[in-house]
Amino acid sequence: MGSGEPPARDFIRQMIDEDNRTGKHEGRVHTRFPPEPNGYLHIGHAKSICLNFGIAEEYGGLCNLRFDDTNPMKEEDKYVKAIIEDVKWLGFDWGDRLYFASDYFDQMYEYAVQLVKDGKAYVDDLSAEKISEYRGTLTTPGKESPHRDKSAEENLDLLERMKAGEFADGEKVLRARIDMSHRNMNMRDPVMYRILHATHHNTGDKWCIYPTYDWAHGLEDSIEGITHSICTLEFEDHRPLYDWYLDELGAYHPQQIEFARLNLTHTVMSKRKLLELVEDGYVNGWDDPRLPTISGMRRRGYPPAAIRSFCKRIGVAKVHSTVDFEFLEHCIREDLNMTAPRFMGVLRPLKVVLENYPEDKVEEMELMRNPEEPEAGTRKVPFSRVAYIERDDFMENPPKKFYRLAPGREVRFRNAYLVTCKEPVKENGEVVELRCTVDPETCGGDAPDGRKVRSTLHWVSAVHAIDAEVRLYDRPFTVPDPLGQKDTDFKTFVNPDSLEVLRSCKVEPAVGNLEPFDLFQFERLGYFCVDPDSTKQKLVLNRTVQLRDTWAKIQKRQQAK
Ligand code: ATP
Ligand code: MG
């Protein structure tokens, strides 16, 4: 999508090329993105979405969106809705192939009956604790359940009664009958069904037994005729079990391919951890712009094309690695630099009175909409006698190398005039206003005598300015790896300064015409977007990312190593 360059031949694409060459799936390529609706999607999921939908698109194949909704205790319809919205927003389309694992519950049950009849599955009375105890360890074999050797008829009867609701939660389970001393712990008689008297968001109260993830997942892919079942590395050890189930059932086999999950510095990615931050009030909901959720990034102003470009550029591999948050920001900045219109806004205003500028005069100054895109043309910005500039663009006693405004110094007000500061006005020792003059010969910002000034400031005309609240964000955690700190809860490392709210910002009038989620650059300050909290009375803006690109520096350091 979008960026045009041919996708790299990573190991997954090489495998698919090979399958196509040998005609393994008759040249078909059919992938799927299978989220569990137990939380909102994050940027790790974006990687998986771009990979699955991207591959289908490249090979002229199909990609399904399938909800892996086998656990009614944790899943909710609101998550289904949010996930659908997020995948669409990222720019992908599953046509009419929106599926739910719960659509297949009947068929899964039929498959289970088949295994029971073949003596390959049995109903067990052991408690969850006992099952785990009997499982053994990586170095010691497990122990067989005393209930393992019942007849198929007896097991079938018990399974039917489990389904009919005769037993309480946890009283019985259905297990595959494989090998309690198998080297791979996943093969030690794994549980296939557990009893849960819970209402399911799709099937209501029809079922009181629910399939485990491991029993369900391979079946879902098989039922949908998925050719390449792409998943993260932790499922590598589960592949033999999925294969065992499908072999015993004589069912269609997708090819599972594992890749390393995305990790990002200074944040956490698991839905369970994100839920903790949301529920314990560390952030303001799943779409808090500090979170790496797709809805958080949308609200922060990250363009979907930039997220897709990031996912493409990090590539896929078989070994775990962590991507610097700065690289994500670099991709965002790169995209916005080309696309975002420019405006002026002052975050921490300092009033400037231009004493020799007429009281009632207003001039329309002409500024570029986007210097990267000259065809976009110019915009008009009103200029008058009283303006706001950034508080830290003035110093009363400037140190060496501070070239901005100071008493007696001349600077440029962008595309307006050269302005000289006469003196600051103080109240209780604090500078509250600057008395300045303009050189009337310099309208547009340049002196006819060619004299130079060392800095150019942004400004907003006071009578025309719109008030705005601006929210500035910093990284959500103070350490690069909040989950990897021994014996310390990750929430200990939540950055207390990750949100700063500035309530008296002054912005150029045209910003008031923007809609929620519109993106733009405030000259010299960074990229911003309109927050959906904005109302007619109150404009609320988010800073998406700063202008300064720290990624280049990090890259240099890494190359030096
Ligand atoms: P989480 O631990 O964040 O809840 P999950 O793997 O349990 O993640 P699922 O809803 O089961 O979440 O994931 C849907 C798909 O997204 C799976 O195929 C999974 O492998 C993939 N996925 C999840 N997290 C990442 C990640 N960090 N990087 C790449 N792919 C991921
Ligand atoms: Mg999961």
Side-chain angles (χ1 to χ4, degrees):
M1 312 215 37
S3 87
E5 40 187 298
R9 295 282 103 183
D10 51 61
F11 76 97
I12 297 181
R13 288 170 171 94
Q14 285 174 22
M15 275 175 89
I16 298 176
D17 289 345
E18 181 62 12
D19 288 347
N20 283 350
R21 202 182 56 76
T22 60
K24 184 168 174 192
H25 305 280
E26 300 89 40
R28 271 188 327 121
V29 174
H30 198 154
T31 55
R32 84 289 177 259
F33 173 64
E36 183 181 0
N38 61 346
Y40 279 55
L41 298 182
H42 50 64
I43 181 122
H45 295 113
K47 174 174 177 174
S48 173
I49 292 167
C50 290
L51 192 58
N52 280 293
F53 281 95
I55 282 177
E57 204 171 82
E58 282 159 45
Y59 287 91
L62 299 171
C63 181
N64 298 352
L65 175 59
R66 181 211 312 142
F67 286 95
D68 210 326
D69 56 346
T70 52
N71 182 359
M73 304 302 286
K74 291 191 180 151
E75 296 157 4
E76 287 181 51
D77 203 42
K78 70 170 183 192
Y79 296 135
V80 171
K81 293 202 171 78
I83 289 172
I84 287 178
E85 191 187 341
D86 286 349
V87 180
K88 256 192 213 154
W89 177 79
L90 264 183
F92 297 102
D93 183 6
W94 49 91
D96 56 359
R97 295 175 315 283
L98 171 64
Y99 300 122
F100 291 85
S102 53
D103 294 341
Y104 312 136
F105 280 174
D106 284 297
Q107 179 150 13
M108 289 176 190
Y109 183 77
E110 286 312 309
Y111 276 140
V113 167
Q114 187 182 331
L115 290 187
V116 169
K117 285 182 175 165
D118 292 344
K120 300 288 181 186
Y122 62 98
V123 172
D124 199 352
D125 289 348
L126 289 185
S127 65
E129 297 79 61
K130 279 277 176 253
I131 288 178
S132 141
E133 190 187 314
Y134 278 35
R135 225 170 145 226
T137 66
L138 283 174
T139 48
T140 56
K143 207 164 97 181
E144 291 184 355
S145 164
H147 314 288
R148 196 174 194 260
D149 294 319
K150 295 187 292 291
S151 70
E153 291 71 38
E154 203 179 335
N155 280 316
L156 196 54
D157 173 62
L158 286 168
L159 177 60
E160 276 164 3
R161 288 164 59 196
M162 275 171 67
K163 177 173 177 256
E166 282 190 31
F167 307 112
D169 288 3
E171 210 177 319
K172 294 190 189 311
V173 291
L174 183 73
R175 298 178 73 177
R177 196 170 185 282
I178 309 179
D179 180 354
M180 286 308 292
S181 50
H182 202 287
R183 263 183 49 246
N184 183 338
M185 302 270 290
N186 293 313
M187 303 294 277
R188 294 183 186 172
D189 291 13
V191 172
M192 296 164 59
Y193 276 99
R194 63 243 197 259
I195 301 172
L196 271 179
H197 289 271
T199 305
H200 186 280
H201 74 99
N202 252 1
T203 56
D205 293 320
K206 177 176 175 192
W207 296 89
C208 62
I209 58 172
Y210 288 97
T212 55
Y213 183 87
D214 275 354
W215 165 237
H217 196 77
L219 297 182
E220 295 158 23
D221 285 341
S222 170
I223 291 168
E224 291 177 15
I226 299 303
T227 55
H228 300 88
S229 168
I230 300 169
C231 64
T232 39
L233 280 180
E234 66 273 25
F235 294 104
E236 200 162 17
D237 289 348
H238 299 239
R239 175 156 33 104
L241 175 58
Y242 302 163
D243 286 342
W244 186 90
Y245 284 136
L246 295 174
D247 285 343
E248 292 300 330
L249 293 167
Y252 165 78
H253 257 257
Q255 172 63 52
Q256 177 168 308
I257 309 173
E258 305 88 7
F259 71 98
R261 60 171 50 229
L262 166 65
N263 294 304
L264 262 189
T265 57
H266 295 281
T267 191
V268 295
M269 218 103 84
S270 118
K271 281 182 275 180
R272 203 164 49 81
K273 298 285 190 304
L274 293 170
L275 182 66
E276 262 184 81
L277 294 176
V278 171
E279 287 194 332
D280 298 352
Y282 286 91
V283 293
N284 305 314
W286 283 99
D287 66 346
D288 188 299
R290 287 167 290 182
L291 292 182
T293 52
I294 294 181
S295 52
M297 295 189 294
R298 172 166 61 231
R299 189 162 180 180
R300 176 85 173 249
Y302 289 8
I307 298 174
R308 292 196 302 265
S309 159
F310 168 77
C311 291
K312 193 176 203 168
R313 288 159 74 177
I314 55 175
V316 287
K318 270 277 183 195
V319 285
H320 282 291
S321 67
T322 302
V323 176
D324 284 300
F325 203 87
E326 287 82 357
F327 182 63
L328 173 59
E329 294 193 319
H330 171 80
C331 295
I332 305 303
R333 217 177 265 120
E334 216 175 58
D335 182 287
L336 291 178
N337 182 38
M338 299 311 292
T339 56
R342 271 54 169 175
F343 293 108
M344 291 195 289
V346 173
L347 298 185
R348 297 171 182 86
L350 175 60
K351 193 171 161 189
V352 175
V353 178
L354 303 164
E355 292 184 326
N356 62 337
Y357 196 88
E359 293 262 4
D360 312 324
K361 187 169 172 181
V362 175
E363 285 178 277
E364 298 279 334
M365 299 303 177
E366 201 158 355
L367 279 85
M368 298 288 279
R369 284 187 199 281
N370 182 354
E372 299 292 332
E373 197 191 357
E375 320 83 72
T378 57
R379 69 185 198 276
K380 295 262 199 303
V381 187
F383 183 85
S384 64
R385 181 180 152 92
V386 183
Y388 292 109
I389 63 165
E390 215 63 64
R391 192 158 271 282
D392 63 8
D393 278 339
F394 171 79
M395 279 186 99
E396 197 176 1
N397 301 300
K400 257 193 180 168
K401 295 206 172 159
F402 183 89
Y403 300 121
R404 293 170 269 165
L405 209 52
R409 180 164 309 157
E410 185 172 56
V411 299
R412 176 182 296 108
F413 276 25
R414 167 154 299 172
N415 291 62
Y417 285 99
L418 296 186
V419 172
T420 302
C421 177
K422 281 173 61 188
E423 58 177 359
V425 178
K426 291 191 192 176
E427 262 172 33
N428 305 322
E430 195 200 343
V431 176
V432 292
E433 185 181 306
L434 301 179
R435 308 301 289 192
C436 299
T437 54
V438 301
D439 177 348
E441 299 299 308
T442 60
C443 184
D446 287 309
D449 63 4
R451 73 178 186 275
K452 299 275 181 249
V453 294
R454 296 194 77 159
S455 81
T456 299
L457 309 186
H458 59 275
W459 50 269
V460 175
S461 161
V463 283
H464 302 94
I466 297 186
D467 293 316
E469 172 179 313
V470 176
R471 301 173 182 169
L472 305 178
Y473 302 100
D474 199 352
R475 35 179 66 147
F477 290 91
T478 54
V479 294
D481 181 12
L483 293 176
Q485 310 295 312
K486 259 219 156 86
D487 304 324
T488 315
D489 184 87
F490 76 103
K491 297 195 290 308
T492 315
F493 303 103
V494 166
N495 179 1
D497 303 317
S498 59
L499 171 63
E500 185 182 1
V501 182
L502 303 174
R503 295 201 162 79
S504 49
C505 309
K506 301 284 183 182
V507 308
E508 170 181 337
V511 178
N513 301 329
L514 301 178
E515 299 289 331
F517 300 104
D518 279 354
L519 283 154
F520 58 92
Q521 185 195 100
F522 271 144
E523 300 198 25
R524 299 178 65 223
L525 297 178
Y527 295 99
F528 292 76
C529 72
V530 181
D531 190 86
D533 278 351
S534 291
T535 60
K536 286 238 170 333
Q537 290 74 37
K538 184 172 135 187
L539 182 62
V540 181
L541 306 174
N542 295 314
R543 183 167 67 195
T544 306
V545 66
Q546 283 170 277
L547 288 180
R548 193 164 39 94
D549 193 342
T550 44
W551 170 246
K553 247 195 232 159
I554 292 172
Q555 219 175 6
K556 245 191 214 147
R557 203 170 31 186
Q558 283 174 346
Q559 278 163 359
K561 263 191 209 163

